[in-house]
């Protein structure tokens, strides 16, 4: 608490109390961290297995993560570090520096710094074994490790190292879900009472526009609408409707009386399977009394295995069933012929159709086994350095190479290219059921001769083993590789002169850093439409080179065949068609991207004492820091900081900082590009009427981005009262204002702003020279790249107190009580959209996005008591009340009081408390031995109801908080 910048230091012992399993759990218990990403919080995403620190919710990519003051190679293209790969057994403490710290610690420290400090002088051997599970007998966890250190050659050579392994068992069986009756899939459903709020809260909410068997969607008045097949695929009836929700339109959902009336959520996952292995080694040698040289290595890997989605033909990925589908019962075929759509267009082949949806559960019992994503990181990092003392100056130099290989392995996932072909099943001239595209008039080359028509009318029950094998990919491997090289030289010490108040201390240095990124899928047949033998459709003339399959007459059916269309294929779901599709392996895109960035930095920092030993000024120190960074791609940028520390007396100190902090565009911001579909309407002034366009466009990386800049102010007070021995407290206010925050504009906004006169955006709207219908030329492509657009403001107050007191209370041994409290109050969490050209050509800023009402305050308190060999700690976590959705408004009537809001019956979450208990025993008769146990969520506090709004997987659990329940760990450590 002696620095002008707020710093929170947490010991390794406290870290284990805060989170007994993984490092990210410990950080998440500290209120200064908000929206940390965890292995379980990113189930199946492209950062799965990654656990990234996020200070004040400002962004993991704006939180600089260091190990012993040095950068660590990023775990992904987002620029964040997976903290669970760090050597936890040798962790000494963790320093959290809040407020901007770019000038002192390095660019990217807009939100602050998390610095993990290792005990590099560890002596002895430490063994650790830990196990645990929930009180419902699932979700088992295990941790094993060894740390060792020894000094040789009369203290000149020191070797230290550690090995560790951590595992978590998945919680994903129906039995585990049923044991948690609070998982009722609460949702906001359309209110049957049209005079009341638009949405009401209800349990057991399921979609009405899709389910686990095929369902038809049509106009609400059509006899086809909401026809649902049974498991046999032979009978279809109108979907039973409970009356709570809306069958067609509105929420497209209903609340059921009992969760067991639906099979929608039988494959849900509460906790992913996780395995992490870490190895660390360091050798230091004193070549003189003042100089140490060292080499250090980290080797780590982790894997998260999570159940992923099976066939998901819903929303923009919905399919079509034609009246001539060979699997249809004749009665349903007749209904489609009578009431279906189309039939007259050449693309329909003379048959009417109806939109069909189905969402197959992903189960271990499925053909081919469970549907799994295995994602994780493999990290290697090597450092060589020197620490020396020259006079009263410390010299530090090091060079480091790090590499992180992020794996993305998929097992038994659907191939949406073959699925589209296999769904269009007809009878050939002999009466055999075949894929329509394999008929000889469409497939003279026999490309689709092995196509297996699939029947999904009854869901998984009517999908044959041969059909499942045809539309599934047994294995897909993709990767993302980040390489980092860096070198730094720094020196710190007294300048040998100063002011009457004392000497001036300085730190100066320079560094160089280069990062390279490569991402891809080695087998192109895992990304692009291909036949089972691996031949790409584009190489056969029946593919257009995009990641989606294209029907014979195009994604939007025309009257003539299109280049790259598959002859005989009548339809492909819009989300899977052509450039709109992300990957032929459903929802698993890892696009081929590569790029590099390098930067040179120089920095200086000065600690200048100004006044001392005066009335009300025991000491007044100032801190000044500046850093210059020259990025090869993003240009040159300055960061600076001015700090003040005013010690009034031994009991009170006031501190404040003002800084300019920067974040350079990360590898994703600059290089990550995706080609997909974009819809926009051209309303340029030369048109008699607007023209809608559905075109392709690149989305994502922009190599011309500039660094984000943030102005940060902090002010606080530190109190150490003499009348309360062992007590200290601090309260710090912070405000971070980021300009040029990296964001994207929608395709429609880009077109509108170009038409309004913003020439800088017209470069992203590509037109041809055909002026027949559009005098400016038809739009052929709209690119929605990242741009320096927004402004973001974060403001709040952090508080911390600690107290330790030796006492005699129960007797039996030396006694002590410790108290630590951490708290954060959020005052401002705002995003200000960019200024856009409006009426009359005047630039105006859109409405502020204010997230303060959905951002809860938080606090964590640790109360510890030690009596001789025994210790006990209580951990209390507090999460403040908040709104569920900032655009929802609690009301008893339908009409909102604020334009743009939606009325609901309940939009609030009350404050919540959770208690953990830790026990320890270190028997004095067995020196070095410690037995311990921690019970998390001691009172088994159920999560709060937090209704969702549904999506392509239905409705989530509808709860906020701890959905796993009471659980324990028990372990033993032995140091000798």
């Amino acid at each position: 608490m002696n620095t002008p910048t707020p710093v929170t230091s947490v010991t390794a012992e406290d870290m284990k109390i805060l989170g007994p399993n993984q490092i990210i759990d410990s950080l998440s218990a500290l209120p200064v961290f908000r929206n940390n990403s965890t292995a379980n919080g990113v189930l199946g995403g492209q950062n799965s297995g990654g656990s990234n620190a996020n200070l004040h919710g400002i962004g993991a990519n704006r939180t600089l993560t260091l190990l012993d003051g040095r950068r660590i190679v990023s775990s992904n293209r987002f620029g964040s570090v997976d903290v669970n790969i760090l050597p936890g057994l040798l962790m000494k403490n963790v320093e959290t520096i809040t407020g901007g710290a770019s000038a002192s610690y390095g660019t990217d420290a807009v939100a602050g710094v998390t610095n993990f400090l290792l005990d590099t002088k560890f002596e002895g051997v430490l063994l650790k074994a830990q196990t645990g599970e929930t009180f419902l007998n699932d979700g088992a966890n295990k941790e094993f490790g060894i740390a060792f250190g020894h000094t040789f050659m009369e203290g000149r050579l020191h070797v230290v190292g550690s090995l560790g392994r951590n595992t978590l068992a998945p919680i994903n069986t129906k039995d585990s879900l049923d044991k948690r009756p609070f998982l009722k899939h609460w949702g906001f459903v359309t209110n049957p009472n049209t005079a009341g709020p638009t949405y009401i809260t209800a349990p057991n909410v399921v979609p009405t526009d899709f389910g686990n068997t095929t369902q038809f969607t049509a106009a609400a008045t059509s006899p086809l609408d909401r026809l649902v097949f049974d498991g046999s695929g032979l009978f279809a009836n109108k979907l039973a409707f409970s009356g709570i929700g809306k069958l067609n339109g509105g929420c497209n959902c209903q609340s059921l009386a009992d969760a067991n009336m639906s099979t929608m959520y039988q494959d849900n996952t509460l906790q992913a399977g996780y395995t992490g292995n870490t190895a660390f080694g360091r050798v230091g040698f004193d070549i003189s009394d003042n100089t140490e040289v060292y080499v250090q290595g980290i080797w780590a890997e982790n894997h998260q295995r999570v159940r992923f989605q099976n066939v998901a033909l819903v929303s923009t990925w919905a399919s079509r069933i034609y009246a001539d589908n060979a699997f249809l019962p004749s009665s349903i075929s007749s209904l489609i012929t009578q009431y279906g759509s189309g039939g007259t267009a050449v693309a329909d082949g003379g048959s009417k159709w109806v939109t069909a949806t189905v969402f197959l559960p992903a189960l271990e019992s499925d053909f081919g086994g469970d549907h799994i994503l295995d994602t994780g990181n493999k990290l290697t990092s090597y450092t060589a350095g020197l620490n020396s003392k020259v006079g009263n100056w410390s010299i530090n130099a090091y060079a480091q190479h790090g590499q992180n290989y992020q794996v993305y392995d998929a097992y038994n996932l659907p191939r949406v290219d073959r699925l589209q072909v296999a769904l269009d099943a007809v009878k050939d001239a002999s009466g055999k059921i075949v894929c329509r595209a394999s008929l000889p008039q469409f497939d003279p080359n026999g490309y689709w001769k092995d196509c297996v028509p699939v029947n999904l009318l009854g869901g998984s029950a009517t999908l044959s083993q041969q059909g499942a094998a045809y539309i599934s990919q047994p294995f897909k491997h993709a990767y993302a590789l980040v390489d980092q090289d860096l070198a730094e030289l720094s020196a710190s010490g007294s300048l040998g002169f100063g002011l009457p108040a004392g000497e001036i201390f300085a730190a100066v240095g320079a560094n160089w850093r280069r990062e390279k990124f490569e991402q891809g899928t080695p087998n192109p047949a895992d990304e692009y439409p291909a036949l089972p033998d691996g031949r790409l459709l584009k190489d056969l003339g029946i593919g257009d080179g995009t990641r989606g399959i294209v029907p014979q007459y195009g994604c939007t059916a025309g009257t003539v065949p299109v280049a790259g269309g598959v002859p005989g294929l009548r339809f492909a779901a819009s989300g899977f068609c052509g450039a709109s599709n992300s990957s032929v392996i459903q929802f698993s895109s890892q696009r081929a991207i590569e790029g590099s960035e390098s930067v040179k930095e120089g920095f200086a920092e000065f600690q200048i004492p100004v006044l001392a030993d005066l009335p009300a000024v025991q000491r007044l120190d100032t801190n000044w820091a500046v850093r210059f960074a020259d990025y090869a791609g993003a240009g040159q940028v300055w960061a600076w900081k001015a700090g003040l520390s005013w010690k009034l007396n031994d009991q009170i100190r006031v501190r404040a900082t003002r800084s300019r902090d920067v974040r350079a565009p990360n590898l994703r911001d600059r290089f990550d590009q995706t080609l997909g579909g974009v819809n926009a309407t051209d309303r340029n002034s030369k048109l008699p009427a607007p023209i809608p366009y559905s075109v392709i466009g690149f989305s994502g990386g922009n190599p011309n981005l500039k660094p984000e800049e943030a102005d940060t102010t902090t002010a606080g007070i530190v109190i150490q009262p003499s009348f309360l021995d062992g007590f200290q407290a601090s309260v710090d206010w912070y405000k971070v204002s980021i300009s040029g925050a990296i964001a994207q504009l929608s395709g429609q906004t880009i077109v509108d702003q170009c038409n309004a006169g913003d020439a800088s955006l017209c470069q992203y709207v590509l037109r041809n020279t055909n002026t027949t219908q559009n005098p400016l030329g038809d739009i052929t492509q709209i690119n929605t790249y990242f741009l320096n657009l927004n402004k973001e403001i974060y403001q709040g107050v952090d508080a911390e107190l600690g107290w330790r007191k030796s006492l005699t209370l129960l007797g039996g041994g030396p006694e002590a009580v410790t108290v630590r409290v951490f708290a954060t109050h959020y005052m401002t969490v705002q995003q200000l959209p960019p200024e856009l050209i409006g009426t009359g050509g005047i630039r105006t800023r859109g409405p502020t996005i204010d997230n303060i009402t959905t951002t809860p305050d938080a606090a964590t308190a640790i109360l510890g008591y030690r009596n001789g060999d025994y210790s006990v700690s209580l951990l209390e976590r507090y999460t403040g009340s908040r709104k569920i959705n900032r655009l929802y408004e609690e009301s008893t009537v339908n009409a909102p009081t604020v334009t743009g809001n939606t009325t609901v019956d309940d939009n609030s979450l009350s404050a919540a408390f959770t208690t953990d208990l830790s026990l320890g025993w270190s028997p004095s008769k067995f020196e070095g031995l410690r037995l311990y146990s921690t019970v998390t969520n001691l009172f088994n506090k159920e999560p709060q109801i937090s209704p969702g709004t549904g999506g392509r997987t239905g409705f989530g659990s509808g709860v906020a908080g701890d959905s796993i329940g009471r659980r324990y760990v028990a372990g033993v450590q032995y140091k000798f």
Side-chain angles (χ1 to χ4, degrees), residues 38-50 168-173 267-275 302-310 362-364 369-376 407-413 587:
T38 65
N40 279 314
V42 200
L43 297 180
Q46 294 183 11
N47 190 29
S48 294
L168 288 174
I171 302 177
N172 61 5
T173 65
D267 58 350
N268 281 15
T269 294
L270 285 183
Q271 175 174 287
Y274 177 88
T275 302
N302 58 26
H303 284 270
Q304 174 193 262
R305 287 178 63 88
V306 61
R307 176 177 291 147
F308 204 48
Q309 293 175 33
N310 200 343
L363 302 173
E364 193 173 358
D370 215 339
H371 310 264
I372 296 294
L373 278 182
D374 183 339
T375 53
V407 297
Y408 188 97
D409 293 339
Y411 298 85
N412 198 30
L413 295 192
F587 308 140

Side-chain angles (χ1 to χ4, degrees), residues 617-695:
V617 184
Q618 189 178 83
R619 188 168 186 84
L620 182 67
D621 293 312
T622 60
N623 179 269
W624 307 87
V626 64
R627 181 179 295 260
F628 172 75
D630 184 6
Y631 285 88
Q636 299 177 344
V637 64
W638 287 89
W640 53 264
K641 182 187 74 172
L644 174 73
S645 176
W646 172 22
K647 187 176 183 180
L648 284 75
N649 50 47
D650 288 337
Q651 302 180 68
I652 301 175
R653 186 168 66 88
V654 176
R655 59 189 179 190
T657 64
R658 173 72 174 179
S659 62
R660 165 64 58 83
D661 302 289
V662 295
R663 179 185 82 87
N666 57 39
L667 295 166
R668 173 196 181 231
D669 296 335
R670 298 194 65 223
F671 303 113
D672 187 6
Q673 290 192 2
T674 297
L675 181 67
V678 183
N679 296 314
T681 298
D682 192 0
R683 304 183 182 94
N684 76 73
S685 59
K686 297 184 179 181
L687 288 172
I691 301 176
Y693 288 95
S694 181
V695 297

Side-chain angles (χ1 to χ4, degrees), residues 154 214 259 305 334 408 669 678 726 743 766 822 843 858:
E154 298 180 341
T214 293
R305 287 178 63 88
S334 298
Y408 188 97
D669 296 335
V678 183
L766 280 63
F822 310 91
R843 284 188 174 271

